Amino acid sequence: MKVVFDVGGSHMRVGVSRNGRDVLQVMDLVTPAAVGDGLQLLVETGKKLAGEEKIEVTAGGIAGVWDRERSKLLGSPNLSGWVDYPISQRLSEGWGVEVKLENDAAVGALGEAVFGAGEGKRIVAYLAVGTGVGGARIVDQKIDANFLGFEPGHQYIKVQGPGDKVQNGETLEELVIYRALYGNFDL
């Protein structure tokens, strides 16, 4: 059995697959703020969904910027309690197998490029709006080379609103999420 997961700032999803293509069952859970609680919930849910079948492979995405080894988060605005924690090690210990980790938006992008709207396309650009704004570029069904991820929501933009009032120093994520939560506002 293969366990797959996606951890975002507010929700996480855990699923299982026998063939690596078709997901048999998925559970949607609230993401705990405490990393220990979150990882324990991931492991327990994966085991519950796998039932009596042996877990052979695990892979998933967690929102944030990863270190080179994909073992711990270097930063995550919406999962700040998860930063600098040995996530890969703890999940491997819990499931008893190696865990492959990546940024959640990069995993979503890869899924769309291989199985979804981008299937058959050489280059796929992906943007995800949720608790944060993420995205990735996929080339030939592989996550494109990058240094610390793509993080399109963290680019600073200059916005000019009514009356030529200019706001500087806000990120795309701050503007998009604010509007999504609170509606339009005067810039």
Side-chain angles (χ1 to χ4, degrees):
M1 189 66 75
K2 297 159 182 48
V3 175
V4 293
F5 56 92
D6 171 30
V7 179
S10 60
H11 284 264
M12 62 179 161
R13 286 152 252 7
V14 184
V16 290
S17 174
R18 282 196 185 92
N19 62 11
R21 182 176 180 92
D22 301 311
V23 178
L24 303 172
Q25 190 176 4
V26 176
M27 289 188 71
D28 189 316
L29 310 157
V30 173
T31 303
V35 65
D37 295 342
L39 298 181
Q40 181 178 348
L41 184 58
L42 271 176
V43 169
E44 289 173 358
T45 304
K47 286 179 176 180
K48 178 181 177 181
L49 292 175
E52 298 296 317
E53 295 192 48
K54 181 179 190 234
I55 295 173
E56 298 172 342
V57 175
T58 59
I62 300 177
V65 177
W66 288 93
D67 65 351
R68 290 185 108 147
E69 295 79 28
R70 303 289 192 269
S71 63
K72 64 181 179 178
L73 290 171
L74 298 175
S76 181
N78 298 307
L79 292 172
S80 59
W82 292 52
V83 173
D84 203 33
Y85 190 86
I87 294 172
S88 176
Q89 178 185 341
R90 295 293 188 261
L91 288 175
S92 290
E93 291 169 357
W95 280 316
V97 296
E98 181 183 5
V99 177
K100 297 287 186 181
L101 295 168
E102 183 56 75
N103 172 272
D104 63 332
V107 172
L110 186 60
E112 285 296 333
V114 175
F115 300 116
E119 187 175 6
K121 306 293 188 233
R122 184 171 173 272
I123 298 174
V124 175
Y126 177 88
L127 190 64
V129 178
T131 307
V133 177
R137 180 173 183 236
I138 307 300
V139 178
D140 296 326
Q141 297 188 340
K142 292 185 174 91
I143 298 169
D144 202 4
N146 62 78
F147 180 64
L148 289 173
F150 298 95
E151 299 301 331
H154 293 217
Q155 61 184 309
Y156 284 90
I157 57 175
K158 181 177 179 179
V159 177
Q160 188 165 343
D164 293 326
K165 182 179 177 186
V166 176
Q167 283 186 294
N168 291 309
E170 290 188 288
T171 65
L172 173 64
E173 184 169 283
E174 289 168 338
L175 289 170
V176 169
I177 299 308
Y178 185 90
R179 286 185 181 194
L181 292 174
Y182 305 108
N184 201 358
F185 60 97
D186 287 334
L187 297 171

